[in-house]
Amino acid sequence: DQQVKQNSPSLSVQEGRISILNCDYTNSMFDYFLWYKKYPAEGPTFLISISSIKDKNEDGRFTVFLNKSAKHLSLHIVPSQPGDSAVYFCAACSNSGYALNFGKGTSLLVTP
Amino acid sequence: EPEVTQTPSHQVTQMGQEVILRCVPISNHLYFYWYRQILGQKVEFLVSFYNNEISEKSEIFDDQFSVERPDGSNFTLKIRSTKLEDSAMYFCASSETLPRVSEQYFGPGTRLTVT
């Protein structure tokens, strides 16, 4: 079952523009959300997270927005750089759990 | 920067054979995890391990799977009798504290191919 959904398998953005990656979740028990970035032949690398008590968290060029009523979160990258080209995974966990539940990922390509 | 390491990077085995995948978590981390990613699919949680016992496991983690921390540095995943559908990338991860408090650091993965 897909408790965390990333409906866009790929996204192409020009360098300097904004990249917006979207994620939806179905499990109401999820209250902590994360974004991971993955390059080929490497493991996922933590990028940014947000607790359900917040609706926004910012770290440099990366901002995550959470809309709890819509069960939706998004990752904004501004400005996008060619080095940002990677697969981005949305993940979620619940208050009582250890497991990260991942989406299928969105492959971001930032073109010069 | 400290990192999680995994060996081997690629393991090929025949169906029915036992395999052991090895991981060295970050030294001051207390929580350990295994995930897997079948080609083209999402990363799936298998098991978490804390204080020398399993703290959570998924439906995937059946009796064919086991985990162990044989010494102070290694963390292993054993598959007793491999099946074709066990072919996947297996990721080890570790965290200093609970997932909500500290991030999980992932290793580069072991690609398991079962023939």
Side-chain angles (χ1 to χ4, degrees), chain A residues 43-44, chain B residues 3-7 21-26 31-37 43-44 46-47 67-69 73-77 89-95 104-110:
Chain B
E3 57 182 17
V4 176
T5 59
Q6 291 185 244
T7 53
L21 309 182
R22 301 179 193 279
C23 168
V24 178
I26 294 172
Y31 294 78
F32 314 111
Y33 315 84
W34 284 101
Y35 291 81
R36 78 172 186 191
Q37 186 180 27
V43 176
E44 299 174 291
L46 293 178
V47 66
V67 289
E68 196 178 31
R69 188 151 162 85
S73 60
N74 289 284
F75 180 51
T76 61
L77 174 70
M89 183 70 88
Y90 287 80
F91 294 106
C92 173
S94 69
S95 64
Q104 293 184 25
Y105 289 81
F106 283 76
T110 292

Side-chain angles (χ1 to χ4, degrees), chain A residues 1-3 31-32 34 36 38 41-44 46 51 89 93-104, chain B residues 31 33 35 37 40-45 48 50 55-56 89 91 98-101 103-109:
Chain A
D1 64 332
Q2 282 271 72
Q3 298 188 72
D31 64 353
Y32 192 72
L34 310 91
Y36 277 80
K38 186 181 180 304
E42 293 184 14
F46 171 76
S51 163
F89 292 98
C93 65
S94 66
N95 185 22
S96 58
Y98 296 84
L100 292 181
N101 295 271
F102 283 87
K104 282 191 171 184
Chain B
Y31 294 78
Y33 315 84
Y35 291 81
Q37 186 180 27
Q41 299 188 24
K42 63 175 184 173
V43 176
E44 299 174 291
F45 170 77
S48 62
Y50 169 70
S55 46
E56 185 178 352
M89 183 70 88
F91 294 106
L98 289 165
R100 301 162 51 75
V101 179
E103 62 182 273
Q104 293 184 25
Y105 289 81
F106 283 76

